[in-house]
Amino acid sequence: MDVKKYVRDVKDFPKEGIIFKDITPVLSNPEVFKFVIDGMIEDIKDWNFDTIIGPEARGFIFAAPLAYKMGKKFVPVRKPGKLPYKKISASYDLEYGSATLEMHIDAIEKGERVIIVDDVLATGGTTAAIVELVKKAGGIVEGVYNFAELSFLNPREKLNDIKVGSLIEY
Ligand SMILES: O=P(O)(O)OC[C@H]1O[C@H](OP(=O)(O)OP(=O)(O)O)[C@H](O)[C@@H]1O
Ligand SMILES: Nc1ncnc2[nH]cnc12
């Protein structure tokens, strides 16, 4: 299946000069969404991890079904002020601005192996910030896996020697 047919380019959103990859046509077609989730699982089935971290908001859409189907623990990383308990935080730049992400202080145990799952890997800023959070908590990043990767923005440069995979690449 040509999954890219279901990703819509929206010019100048949310800022002039950005071509936004709109995933809603993937989500509105149950057959395509199933193909995508199953394909993502197939790609990472041999990775060695206990836990999937998903960043708010679009990361949740892919990370949670993967955690459910693979029988793994799910950890949400959220925008500031959303998590109720004690938190650790990291700030970062992304394609269209800068932001802070938070994770519960007890979300990950020392030595726990985690992967980070998101919809789009663009500059890599979001993922690099989550790697920092996992390291602060004493966890080990097994790898990073995305629905779509914007390789023309060179996100892997920010992620050094971390294993990176993506279902589709631009
Ligand atoms: O690689 P980067 O340059 O960091 O960009 C990728 C991030 O940007 C988007 O999230 P956004 O912060 O727009 O939030 P949303 O999921 O709530 O829409 C996307 O879902 C990724 O998490
Ligand atoms: N161009 C883009 N499209 C969709 N999500 C993004 N997150 C960062 N850059 C993006």
Side-chain angles (χ1 to χ4, degrees):
M1 185 185 295
D2 183 8
V3 173
K4 282 187 180 174
K5 268 199 337 208
Y6 299 91
V7 177
R8 176 166 55 193
D9 279 1
V10 181
K11 265 196 200 146
D12 297 327
F13 181 87
K15 280 187 179 165
E16 221 182 300
I18 304 288
I19 299 171
F20 192 86
K21 298 292 181 194
D22 176 18
I23 58 160
T24 59
V26 170
L27 308 178
S28 61
N29 185 320
E31 214 177 292
V32 178
F33 189 45
K34 183 176 188 319
F35 181 86
V36 163
I37 294 298
D38 291 347
M40 292 174 79
I41 289 171
E42 181 62 25
D43 275 1
I44 61 171
K45 66 177 190 310
D46 296 327
W47 292 21
N48 174 21
F49 63 98
D50 317 296
T51 301
I52 298 183
I53 299 192
E56 181 181 0
R58 280 173 281 146
F60 290 175
I61 295 168
F62 295 91
L66 259 57
Y68 173 76
K69 279 197 84 173
M70 299 183 86
K72 306 291 185 184
K73 168 175 161 183
F74 176 71
V75 169
V77 160
R78 297 210 62 182
K79 308 235 154 89
K82 297 289 186 182
L83 287 170
Y85 186 59
K86 290 178 205 153
K87 293 155 284 203
I88 52 176
S89 66
S91 295
Y92 63 102
D93 292 321
L94 75 170
E95 203 186 353
Y96 35 73
S98 62
T100 300
L101 285 177
E102 296 182 337
M103 184 175 79
H104 273 156
I105 199 161
D106 60 354
I108 288 169
E109 286 174 26
K110 288 210 181 353
E112 193 168 321
R113 298 189 70 84
V114 313
I115 66 164
I116 299 158
V117 170
D118 206 347
D119 66 328
V120 173
L121 181 68
T123 65
T126 304
T127 303
I130 300 170
V131 170
E132 198 185 311
L133 289 176
V134 173
K135 286 186 175 159
K136 270 188 199 171
I140 298 159
V141 179
E142 159 76 4
V144 170
Y145 192 74
N146 315 281
F147 165 61
E149 178 172 344
L150 310 187
S151 5
F152 57 88
L153 294 172
N154 302 316
R156 293 180 190 223
E157 278 174 12
K158 274 212 182 78
L159 301 172
N160 302 316
D161 50 3
I162 291 172
K163 178 165 64 183
V164 181
S166 304
L167 190 73
I168 58 173
E169 276 191 50
Y170 292 91

mmCIF file of all heavy atoms in Angstrom, residues 20 55-59 79 92-96 99 118-127 153 155, ligand 1:
data_model
loop_
_atom_site.group_PDB
_atom_site.id
_atom_site.type_symbol
_atom_site.label_atom_id
_atom_site.label_comp_id
_atom_site.label_asym_id
_atom_site.label_seq_id
_atom_site.Cartn_x
_atom_site.Cartn_y
_atom_site.Cartn_z
ATOM 1 N N PHE A 20 3.324 21.231 6.237
ATOM 2 C CA PHE A 20 2.856 20.393 7.333
ATOM 3 C C PHE A 20 2.370 19.046 6.803
ATOM 4 O O PHE A 20 1.566 18.988 5.867
ATOM 5 C CB PHE A 20 1.727 21.104 8.083
ATOM 6 C CG PHE A 20 1.378 20.466 9.397
ATOM 7 C CD1 PHE A 20 2.068 20.795 10.550
ATOM 8 C CD2 PHE A 20 0.344 19.537 9.474
ATOM 9 C CE1 PHE A 20 1.745 20.203 11.764
ATOM 10 C CE2 PHE A 20 0.017 18.934 10.685
ATOM 11 C CZ PHE A 20 0.720 19.273 11.827
ATOM 12 N N PRO A 55 4.988 11.106 22.941
ATOM 13 C CA PRO A 55 4.780 12.518 23.266
ATOM 14 C C PRO A 55 3.404 13.036 22.849
ATOM 15 O O PRO A 55 2.910 12.689 21.775
ATOM 16 C CB PRO A 55 5.895 13.236 22.485
ATOM 17 C CG PRO A 55 6.307 12.307 21.412
ATOM 18 C CD PRO A 55 5.854 10.918 21.760
ATOM 19 N N GLU A 56 2.836 13.881 23.703
ATOM 20 C CA GLU A 56 1.584 14.582 23.388
ATOM 21 C C GLU A 56 1.797 15.448 22.148
ATOM 22 O O GLU A 56 2.846 16.064 22.030
ATOM 23 C CB GLU A 56 1.222 15.464 24.583
ATOM 24 C CG GLU A 56 -0.056 16.234 24.417
ATOM 25 C CD GLU A 56 -0.367 17.121 25.642
ATOM 26 O OE1 GLU A 56 0.409 17.122 26.609
ATOM 27 O OE2 GLU A 56 -1.379 17.807 25.590
ATOM 28 N N ALA A 57 0.833 15.581 21.281
ATOM 29 C CA ALA A 57 -0.440 14.881 21.230
ATOM 30 C C ALA A 57 -0.416 13.799 20.144
ATOM 31 O O ALA A 57 -0.923 12.705 20.330
ATOM 32 C CB ALA A 57 -1.559 15.874 20.914
ATOM 33 N N ARG A 58 0.211 14.118 19.004
ATOM 34 C CA ARG A 58 0.120 13.172 17.895
ATOM 35 C C ARG A 58 0.922 11.908 18.158
ATOM 36 O O ARG A 58 0.603 10.847 17.590
ATOM 37 C CB ARG A 58 0.548 13.847 16.589
ATOM 38 C CG ARG A 58 -0.556 14.706 16.000
ATOM 39 C CD ARG A 58 -0.072 15.494 14.826
ATOM 40 N NE ARG A 58 0.674 16.665 15.204
ATOM 41 C CZ ARG A 58 1.705 17.168 14.518
ATOM 42 N NH1 ARG A 58 2.107 16.568 13.417
ATOM 43 N NH2 ARG A 58 2.307 18.251 14.926
ATOM 44 N N GLY A 59 1.927 11.978 19.027
ATOM 45 C CA GLY A 59 2.685 10.781 19.381
ATOM 46 C C GLY A 59 1.803 9.733 20.039
ATOM 47 O O GLY A 59 1.975 8.524 19.814
ATOM 48 N N LYS A 79 2.938 18.160 27.440
ATOM 49 C CA LYS A 79 3.225 19.591 27.425
ATOM 50 C C LYS A 79 3.079 20.118 28.862
ATOM 51 O O LYS A 79 2.408 19.490 29.695
ATOM 52 C CB LYS A 79 2.259 20.283 26.460
ATOM 53 C CG LYS A 79 2.263 19.614 25.064
ATOM 54 C CD LYS A 79 2.558 20.561 23.935
ATOM 55 C CE LYS A 79 3.156 19.873 22.741
ATOM 56 N NZ LYS A 79 2.290 19.330 21.714
ATOM 57 N N TYR A 92 13.296 22.341 24.320
ATOM 58 C CA TYR A 92 13.850 21.999 23.007
ATOM 59 C C TYR A 92 13.315 22.930 21.943
ATOM 60 O O TYR A 92 12.330 23.639 22.149
ATOM 61 C CB TYR A 92 13.478 20.550 22.667
ATOM 62 C CG TYR A 92 11.992 20.325 22.543
ATOM 63 C CD1 TYR A 92 11.379 20.237 21.300
ATOM 64 C CD2 TYR A 92 11.182 20.246 23.672
ATOM 65 C CE1 TYR A 92 10.012 20.055 21.176
ATOM 66 C CE2 TYR A 92 9.822 20.071 23.571
ATOM 67 C CZ TYR A 92 9.247 19.969 22.330
ATOM 68 O OH TYR A 92 7.891 19.817 22.224
ATOM 69 N N ASP A 93 13.958 22.894 20.761
ATOM 70 C CA ASP A 93 13.475 23.638 19.590
ATOM 71 C C ASP A 93 12.852 22.647 18.622
ATOM 72 O O ASP A 93 13.321 21.515 18.511
ATOM 73 C CB ASP A 93 14.646 24.321 18.875
ATOM 74 C CG ASP A 93 15.223 25.425 19.743
ATOM 75 O OD1 ASP A 93 14.443 26.134 20.397
ATOM 76 O OD2 ASP A 93 16.466 25.555 19.772
ATOM 77 N N LEU A 94 11.816 23.063 17.904
ATOM 78 C CA LEU A 94 11.269 22.212 16.845
ATOM 79 C C LEU A 94 11.120 23.021 15.565
ATOM 80 O O LEU A 94 11.552 24.182 15.524
ATOM 81 C CB LEU A 94 9.990 21.494 17.269
ATOM 82 C CG LEU A 94 8.647 22.164 17.378
ATOM 83 C CD1 LEU A 94 7.574 21.121 17.587
ATOM 84 C CD2 LEU A 94 8.595 23.142 18.523
ATOM 85 N N GLU A 95 10.584 22.412 14.513
ATOM 86 C CA GLU A 95 10.600 23.054 13.192
ATOM 87 C C GLU A 95 9.933 24.426 13.236
ATOM 88 O O GLU A 95 10.326 25.336 12.528
ATOM 89 C CB GLU A 95 9.909 22.147 12.156
ATOM 90 C CG GLU A 95 10.354 22.427 10.737
ATOM 91 C CD GLU A 95 9.566 21.640 9.687
ATOM 92 O OE1 GLU A 95 8.746 20.774 10.050
ATOM 93 O OE2 GLU A 95 9.790 21.907 8.501
ATOM 94 N N TYR A 96 8.894 24.567 14.066
ATOM 95 C CA TYR A 96 8.162 25.838 14.069
ATOM 96 C C TYR A 96 8.045 26.457 15.455
ATOM 97 O O TYR A 96 7.015 26.968 15.826
ATOM 98 C CB TYR A 96 6.771 25.654 13.443
ATOM 99 C CG TYR A 96 6.119 24.319 13.728
ATOM 100 C CD1 TYR A 96 5.614 24.007 14.983
ATOM 101 C CD2 TYR A 96 6.020 23.359 12.717
ATOM 102 C CE1 TYR A 96 5.005 22.795 15.226
ATOM 103 C CE2 TYR A 96 5.427 22.132 12.952
ATOM 104 C CZ TYR A 96 4.917 21.863 14.212
ATOM 105 O OH TYR A 96 4.320 20.657 14.451
ATOM 106 N N ALA A 99 9.736 24.623 22.794
ATOM 107 C CA ALA A 99 8.747 24.088 23.730
ATOM 108 C C ALA A 99 9.417 23.350 24.885
ATOM 109 O O ALA A 99 10.629 23.148 24.887
ATOM 110 C CB ALA A 99 7.816 23.147 22.980
ATOM 111 N N ASP A 118 6.783 8.404 17.762
ATOM 112 C CA ASP A 118 6.101 9.666 17.446
ATOM 113 C C ASP A 118 5.530 9.586 16.032
ATOM 114 O O ASP A 118 5.849 8.666 15.278
ATOM 115 C CB ASP A 118 7.105 10.820 17.562
ATOM 116 C CG ASP A 118 6.430 12.146 17.891
ATOM 117 O OD1 ASP A 118 5.195 12.244 17.790
ATOM 118 O OD2 ASP A 118 7.148 13.104 18.247
ATOM 119 N N ASP A 119 4.685 10.580 15.693
ATOM 120 C CA ASP A 119 4.149 10.582 14.322
ATOM 121 C C ASP A 119 5.189 11.088 13.330
ATOM 122 O O ASP A 119 5.460 10.431 12.329
ATOM 123 C CB ASP A 119 2.834 11.399 14.225
ATOM 124 C CG ASP A 119 3.027 12.882 14.468
ATOM 125 O OD1 ASP A 119 3.920 13.247 15.259
ATOM 126 O OD2 ASP A 119 2.295 13.693 13.877
ATOM 127 N N VAL A 120 5.783 12.248 13.634
ATOM 128 C CA VAL A 120 6.722 12.867 12.690
ATOM 129 C C VAL A 120 8.044 13.167 13.391
ATOM 130 O O VAL A 120 8.059 13.763 14.478
ATOM 131 C CB VAL A 120 6.120 14.183 12.121
ATOM 132 C CG1 VAL A 120 7.152 14.927 11.281
ATOM 133 C CG2 VAL A 120 4.881 13.895 11.281
ATOM 134 N N LEU A 121 9.146 12.739 12.762
ATOM 135 C CA LEU A 121 10.480 13.147 13.207
ATOM 136 C C LEU A 121 10.922 14.233 12.238
ATOM 137 O O LEU A 121 11.152 13.952 11.058
ATOM 138 C CB LEU A 121 11.437 11.952 13.180
ATOM 139 C CG LEU A 121 12.874 12.223 13.638
ATOM 140 C CD1 LEU A 121 12.927 12.526 15.130
ATOM 141 C CD2 LEU A 121 13.778 11.028 13.322
ATOM 142 N N ALA A 122 11.003 15.464 12.726
ATOM 143 C CA ALA A 122 11.330 16.590 11.832
ATOM 144 C C ALA A 122 12.756 17.069 12.104
ATOM 145 O O ALA A 122 13.701 16.510 11.563
ATOM 146 C CB ALA A 122 10.288 17.686 12.008
ATOM 147 N N THR A 123 12.946 18.041 12.997
ATOM 148 C CA THR A 123 14.326 18.461 13.319
ATOM 149 C C THR A 123 14.976 17.510 14.323
ATOM 150 O O THR A 123 16.183 17.564 14.530
ATOM 151 C CB THR A 123 14.341 19.867 13.942
ATOM 152 O OG1 THR A 123 13.671 19.811 15.203
ATOM 153 C CG2 THR A 123 13.677 20.882 13.046
ATOM 154 N N GLY A 124 14.148 16.719 15.009
ATOM 155 C CA GLY A 124 14.669 15.820 16.041
ATOM 156 C C GLY A 124 14.696 16.456 17.425
ATOM 157 O O GLY A 124 15.067 15.809 18.407
ATOM 158 N N GLY A 125 14.263 17.722 17.517
ATOM 159 C CA GLY A 125 14.292 18.432 18.804
ATOM 160 C C GLY A 125 13.441 17.760 19.880
ATOM 161 O O GLY A 125 13.881 17.583 21.022
ATOM 162 N N THR A 126 12.224 17.368 19.510
ATOM 163 C CA THR A 126 11.312 16.722 20.465
ATOM 164 C C THR A 126 11.938 15.427 20.980
ATOM 165 O O THR A 126 11.978 15.171 22.187
ATOM 166 C CB THR A 126 9.960 16.403 19.773
ATOM 167 O OG1 THR A 126 9.440 17.618 19.239
ATOM 168 C CG2 THR A 126 8.969 15.780 20.728
ATOM 169 N N THR A 127 12.420 14.620 20.038
ATOM 170 C CA THR A 127 12.989 13.321 20.412
ATOM 171 C C THR A 127 14.238 13.500 21.269
ATOM 172 O O THR A 127 14.412 12.788 22.271
ATOM 173 C CB THR A 127 13.301 12.521 19.134
ATOM 174 O OG1 THR A 127 12.097 12.410 18.397
ATOM 175 C CG2 THR A 127 13.817 11.148 19.461
ATOM 176 N N LEU A 153 15.450 17.413 6.872
ATOM 177 C CA LEU A 153 15.768 18.298 8.008
ATOM 178 C C LEU A 153 16.903 17.721 8.878
ATOM 179 O O LEU A 153 17.235 18.287 9.913
ATOM 180 C CB LEU A 153 14.514 18.539 8.863
ATOM 181 C CG LEU A 153 13.383 19.325 8.194
ATOM 182 C CD1 LEU A 153 12.129 19.339 9.073
ATOM 183 C CD2 LEU A 153 13.812 20.760 7.893
ATOM 184 N N PRO A 155 17.258 15.104 10.999
ATOM 185 C CA PRO A 155 17.008 14.889 12.433
ATOM 186 C C PRO A 155 18.031 13.960 13.096
ATOM 187 O O PRO A 155 18.287 14.092 14.293
ATOM 188 C CB PRO A 155 15.612 14.260 12.465
ATOM 189 C CG PRO A 155 15.431 13.650 11.112
ATOM 190 C CD PRO A 155 16.175 14.540 10.162
HETATM 191 O O1 LIG B 1 11.371 16.733 15.314
HETATM 192 P P1 LIG B 1 10.728 18.003 15.765
HETATM 193 O O2 LIG B 1 11.206 19.195 14.991
HETATM 194 O O3 LIG B 1 10.836 18.209 17.234
HETATM 195 O O4 LIG B 1 9.189 17.906 15.405
HETATM 196 C C1 LIG B 1 8.410 16.773 15.616
HETATM 197 C C2 LIG B 1 7.348 16.998 16.632
HETATM 198 O O5 LIG B 1 6.487 18.070 16.232
HETATM 199 C C3 LIG B 1 5.130 17.635 16.322
HETATM 200 O O6 LIG B 1 4.582 17.863 17.563
HETATM 201 P P2 LIG B 1 3.996 19.268 18.074
HETATM 202 O O7 LIG B 1 4.954 19.824 19.075
HETATM 203 O O8 LIG B 1 3.641 20.124 16.907
HETATM 204 O O9 LIG B 1 2.736 18.886 18.928
HETATM 205 P P3 LIG B 1 1.355 18.086 18.685
HETATM 206 O O10 LIG B 1 1.703 16.637 18.546
HETATM 207 O O11 LIG B 1 0.648 18.370 19.954
HETATM 208 O O12 LIG B 1 0.677 18.623 17.454
HETATM 209 C C4 LIG B 1 5.219 16.141 16.062
HETATM 210 O O13 LIG B 1 4.084 15.460 16.560
HETATM 211 C C5 LIG B 1 6.494 15.752 16.764
HETATM 212 O O14 LIG B 1 6.300 15.452 18.136
#
